[in-house]
Amino acid sequence: MTLRTRALFLGTALTLSLGALTPAIAADAPKPWMDTKLSPDERAALLEKELTVDERIGLVHGPMAMPFMGQTKPEGAIGSAGYIPGVPRLGIPALQETDASLGIANPGNVRPGDVSTALPSSLSLAASWNPEVAYKGGAMIGQEAHAKGFNVLLAGGVNLARDPRNGRNFEYLGEDPLLSGTLGGESIRGIQDQHVVSTVKHFAVNDQETQRMTLDVKIGEAAARESDLLAFQFAIEKGKPGSVMCGYNKVNGAYDCENDFLLNKVLKGDWAYPGWVMSDWGAVHSMESALKGLDQESGEQIDTLLGKGGKVWFGEPLKAAVADKTVPAERLSDMTRRILRSMFAVGLFDHPPVQAPIDFAANGAVAKAAGTEGIVLLKNKADLLPLPLKGKTIAVIGGMANVGVLSGGGSSQVIAEGGNNVRIPLGGDGLMGSFRTMTFHPSSPLKAIRAKTDAKAVRFVDGTYPSEAAALAKSADVAIVFATQWMCEGGDAADLSLPSGQDALIAAVAAANPNTIVVLETGGPVHMPWLDKVAGVVEAWYPGSRGGEAIADVLFGDANPAGHLPITFPADDKQLVHRDIPGIGQPEFTPAEITYTEGADIGYRHYAKVGAKPLFPFGFGLSYTRFAYSDVKVTGGATLTVDFDVTNTGKRAGQDVPQVYLTDAAGTKTQRLIGWSKVTLAPGGKTHVTVTADPRLLGNFNEAAHAWKVAAGDYQVAVGASATDLTLKGKAALAASTRQP
Ligand code: BGC
């Protein structure tokens, strides 16, 4: 079926036979909910009243939108992660849902040959510390979604990086709630401005992949409110996502998707969230979840596989429960009203998707800009970088640099434009086995390097044999080793070493040539036992559709590196808060438990508390120019306002990320990022920065008072280039204040 006929089909299709029993309303019948002068709440209320019970039930559950477990792709579905049939008699469009953490996914090539633009990993986006880059990336994938017929994106991952080994850190925005929530919110705003609903996910405390479907996370309320939940709160306030996806794990004994505390009390109660909660795929364990705050069951076939007696809970069981009043009819209405409300608020009725060609050149430029700005220069001995454009012989080694750049695996996997990705099916047991396919986007760093310089001066070996690589490195002026760490949803890294003998490869190359630069394409932090031996380290993460070009721009100075770490790089495994990952190596679905003893002190906050020195601190990143900070002024009162100047003291234009940390709160030592700015400065240029703290970052959540409390007293702050390089200090007094949760 072509896209055009598919669109026609979608427009006329009847949903489930349930709807067929209810007569269609006449085409000219009044549809008062289509009055755009009414609020989304008013429109949703008007439309919801018209629905039959069966139609309501039809809107609150749906299948995978791809062949799965012997079922074919549902009629009417474009093909992707999920599908919720609409109600054509009332003009309610189907929800066509696709994964989109990093671009529009095409799982199992369900839309044969359909390709998309791949953004860099979200961790790379976080490394840009640039809300504008997040917004533009969101807008770009929102446009691609709209042009492909999707109206819901499963995007907006803001789980915090509590553990650098988490297999999905590449889909998230690092270890700090303010950075994650701010950039996550901007990306969601960018998506929804294209009239496509975005989720924020995975609510909540879904911070490890090992045994994610059985893990029980133990965490205190205040600690959760000040960390994981705060990241969601910021993202929801900024991005207003139409939907919240609840996660797989349990928090304090209750599954995320039937967690009354998380869904009813915090999200819908304290935060007055007006949208709908959709489940993760295979995260629903009971019909009673409807009473605990879940509004929609997604990927329902997977639920039938879970435990004994798994069912499509929000199908017949929910209908029966409404009939016998175990679930009040009003609750089912609330579930549907919430879905419709978000559909109206984001524009799904007024601006439905329209099939359109995709401008891959323009979108590739967005991906390249994001990939470039996320690259973090970690080491640059004697300013070896940037490389001169001519006159050097270069050995390029390993990392499949001849074919492309690595991407992360799982539901977020994008088939990038160019299409001829290298795909290595690694396989493995369990639900994610077929997703474990190591994929390289076709943007070759080797090709991009050759395009910058005298191509004949650049030679490549694949790095299989360290001795061969060392021989090539010895014959060249500069050696660039590409090292990769593939991470995938559904599992964590057992440790932080570079896999497949790459540490030995780098050591051999560095021993042969002191001018060795390592380019890392990793899901997150890795150990660097060879760090002292190499001249340069460039962290490129998973750099997206145009990653090869982005890396070459940084290596040769066409771009000045401007990324800063959104996550701490540990010096060794002993620095990890949790030495073992519970359940690792056990069969899928083995019950596991973890207690987050670090509470809200994640990442750099933990290092500051215990006085440990990481390999590279949170916030760290070098540039080809230098910056200096001066003239700090801290103003108190209701909140803290921090003013200071930034000067580019070097010889190149560049971007900096001066960061402001709270270091002492009314006599209690702490370390919390309270703000930052991304500034662009010409050589010698100076600019003024003002950061105003959100009071939630200054105070604590008081469980007894059920409120945020800021104590009266002196508050000390520090301005610096990373969490450990704090150059300016100041303080001011704050009055006591209270804020509702
Ligand atoms: C993932 C979600 C994803 C969903 C649909 C799940 O396995 O955890 O992030 O959106 O699948 O593909």
Side-chain angles (χ1 to χ4, degrees):
M1 191 185 282
T2 63
L3 271 175
R4 175 178 291 275
T5 51
R6 181 162 58 210
L8 287 173
F9 175 80
L10 284 175
T12 54
L14 280 180
T15 53
L16 304 176
S17 56
L18 305 167
L21 298 175
T22 313
I25 58 168
D28 57 355
K31 293 194 174 87
W33 54 86
M34 289 308 288
D35 179 352
T36 55
K37 288 194 288 306
L38 300 177
S39 72
D41 286 306
E42 290 166 328
R43 296 175 72 181
L46 285 170
L47 179 51
E48 196 278 333
K49 279 198 316 225
E50 300 292 324
L51 293 168
T52 65
V53 170
D54 283 339
E55 285 166 343
R56 291 188 182 107
I57 292 287
L59 286 173
V60 298
H61 70 96
M64 312 260 291
M66 60 181 104
F68 188 72
M69 286 174 61
Q71 295 180 17
T72 52
K73 177 159 72 76
E75 281 288 321
I78 297 175
S80 56
Y83 178 68
I84 306 286
V87 183
R89 85 176 174 92
L90 295 169
I92 301 177
L95 296 180
Q96 303 274 1
E97 304 170 340
T98 179
D99 276 292
S101 287
L102 315 171
I104 309 305
N106 183 1
N109 201 20
V110 61
R111 305 185 306 281
D114 189 30
V115 295
S116 305
T117 306
L119 287 171
S121 65
S122 298
L123 204 56
S124 162
L125 171 62
S128 79
W129 292 61
N130 191 339
E132 208 181 308
V133 171
Y135 180 87
K136 283 187 182 157
M140 185 275 282
I141 59 176
Q143 278 161 16
E144 288 200 4
H146 206 255
K148 289 173 191 283
F150 292 107
N151 54 11
V152 179
L153 292 191
L154 314 174
V158 298
N159 295 101
L160 293 183
R162 278 184 184 267
D163 194 312
R165 296 165 296 187
N166 178 12
R168 280 186 108 170
N169 279 341
F170 75 89
E171 282 188 68
Y172 303 141
L173 294 148
E175 66 194 25
D176 181 78
L178 180 65
L179 184 62
S180 300
T182 304
L183 296 191
E186 283 302 305
S187 150
I188 291 165
R189 210 167 60 79
I191 292 171
Q192 295 200 157
D193 278 357
Q194 316 311 312
H195 307 299
V196 175
V197 163
S198 176
T199 60
V200 65
K201 68 186 187 182
H202 308 86
F203 192 71
V205 210
N206 184 175
D207 299 342
Q208 80 171 50
E209 287 297 287
T210 302
Q211 307 301 353
R212 61 180 176 166
M213 292 183 141
T214 47
L215 183 75
D216 189 3
V217 173
K218 306 289 183 191
I219 185 168
E221 177 179 352
R225 297 257 192 185
E226 292 169 16
S227 57
D228 298 73
L229 296 184
L230 191 54
F232 277 95
Q233 202 175 0
F234 285 142
I236 290 171
E237 286 167 4
K238 282 208 177 312
K240 304 190 173 38
S243 184
V244 170
M245 186 193 291
C246 47
Y248 287 122
N249 52 293
K250 296 177 187 168
V251 175
N252 297 326
Y255 283 111
D256 269 3
C257 291
E258 54 184 48
N259 196 310
D260 186 62
F261 171 75
L262 288 176
L263 303 182
N264 281 335
K265 300 220 162 48
V266 175
L267 179 69
K268 294 180 176 177
D270 294 339
W271 302 350
Y273 176 68
W276 90 94
V277 178
M278 72 164 75
S279 75
D280 201 339
W281 272 232
V284 187
H285 300 263
S286 69
M287 184 280 297
E288 287 73 19
S289 312
L291 296 170
K292 304 289 167 62
L294 179 67
D295 300 309
Q296 193 180 58
E297 179 181 16
S298 320
E300 63 195 19
Q301 297 101 316
I302 309 180
D303 293 333
T304 67
L305 296 174
L306 302 180
K308 292 196 186 77
K311 291 189 176 60
V312 176
W313 299 105
F314 282 12
E316 286 306 319
L318 180 60
K319 190 176 166 192
V322 171
D324 72 17
K325 302 196 170 40
T326 322
V327 171
E330 171 45 30
R331 173 63 190 127
L332 178 60
S333 289
D334 175 49
M335 292 157 76
T336 22
R337 216 164 27 232
R338 285 172 171 275
I339 297 168
L340 296 171
R341 193 237 176 240
S342 287
M343 292 172 74
F344 282 118
V346 179
L348 271 53
F349 284 84
D350 307 329
H351 308 274
V354 180
Q355 190 212 336
I358 288 172
D359 184 345
F360 283 114
N363 293 357
V366 173
K368 184 181 166 195
T372 309
E373 205 163 322
I375 290 176
V376 185
L377 180 62
L378 292 174
K379 179 169 182 181
N380 193 15
K381 192 172 163 194
D383 290 337
L384 178 63
L385 293 172
L387 298 172
L389 289 176
K390 298 269 177 258
K392 296 271 183 216
T393 53
I394 302 175
V396 176
I397 295 159
M400 307 279 282
N402 55 328
V403 298
V405 286
L406 188 57
S407 58
S411 57
S412 68
Q413 182 72 60
V414 172
I415 303 181
E417 14 97 31
N420 55 346
N421 311 21
V422 170
R423 306 180 77 240
I424 307 169
L426 298 176
D429 298 334
L431 287 172
M432 291 305 291
S434 65
F435 281 89
R436 292 183 48 80
T437 298
M438 186 191 286
T439 301
F440 288 79
H441 294 319
S443 171
S444 155
L446 175 64
K447 203 167 142 201
I449 288 169
R450 285 198 164 128
K452 293 267 181 214
T453 181
D454 174 8
K456 287 196 290 301
V458 182
R459 293 183 57 210
F460 174 76
V461 292
D462 61 28
T464 308
Y465 293 101
S467 52
E468 180 194 29
L472 177 65
K474 201 168 184 144
S475 71
D477 295 323
V478 176
I480 307 176
V481 187
F482 283 81
T484 58
Q485 178 214 35
W486 184 71
M487 300 287 267
C488 181
E489 175 185 338
D492 302 312
D495 61 59
L496 293 177
S497 54
L498 280 171
S500 309
Q502 293 174 98
D503 283 331
L505 171 70
I506 296 168
V509 171
N513 188 331
N515 292 332
T516 293
I517 293 153
V518 177
V519 178
L520 295 167
E521 293 171 25
T522 64
V526 288
H527 291 325
M528 304 182 202
W530 32 260
L531 183 60
D532 289 346
K533 308 281 186 308
V534 302
V537 181
V538 174
E539 175 56 89
W541 316 105
Y542 303 145
S545 288
R546 298 288 165 90
E549 291 95 319
I551 291 168
D553 274 5
V554 166
L555 292 175
F556 290 91
D558 293 322
N560 192 347
H564 286 250
L565 295 179
I567 185 168
T568 307
F569 277 48
D572 56 44
D573 286 344
K574 289 200 238 25
Q575 291 187 332
L576 299 172
V577 182
H578 304 277
R579 292 292 289 280
D580 300 314
I581 300 176
I584 200 158
Q586 303 294 312
E588 197 172 24
F589 301 116
T590 303
E593 190 179 301
I594 189 165
T595 301
Y596 284 142
T597 47
E598 72 279 18
D601 288 323
I602 302 174
Y604 67 92
R605 290 171 52 157
H606 168 76
Y607 283 76
K609 198 167 169 183
V610 302
K613 192 174 176 308
L615 187 66
F616 292 107
F618 176 82
F620 179 79
L622 300 171
S623 164
Y624 296 149
T625 186
R626 306 279 182 267
F627 298 95
Y629 310 141
S630 59
D631 298 314
V632 68
K633 186 173 136 244
V634 186
T635 313
T639 187
L640 286 181
T641 303
V642 184
D643 282 276
F644 57 97
D645 291 332
V646 185
T647 309
N648 180 345
T649 57
K651 297 194 178 59
R652 281 173 182 259
Q655 289 174 288
D656 191 28
V657 182
Q659 302 144 43
V660 184
Y661 294 91
L662 177 71
T663 54
D664 189 305
T668 305
K669 294 257 167 289
T670 184
Q671 185 161 20
R672 298 180 190 182
L673 180 73
I674 57 170
W676 74 90
S677 180
K678 183 110 198 203
V679 301
T680 304
L681 287 170
K686 185 175 186 173
T687 190
H688 185 79
V689 171
T690 302
V691 161
T692 302
D694 185 302
R696 285 169 288 193
L697 296 166
L698 304 173
N700 286 94
F701 190 83
N702 184 314
E703 291 177 27
H706 195 64
W708 295 91
K709 293 266 183 197
V710 176
D714 275 350
Y715 285 73
Q716 297 183 20
V717 301
V719 177
S722 79
T724 60
D725 179 10
L726 303 172
T727 44
L728 302 178
K729 304 214 160 115
K731 65 173 181 181
L734 289 182
S737 65
T738 299
R739 178 189 166 120
Q740 293 317 303

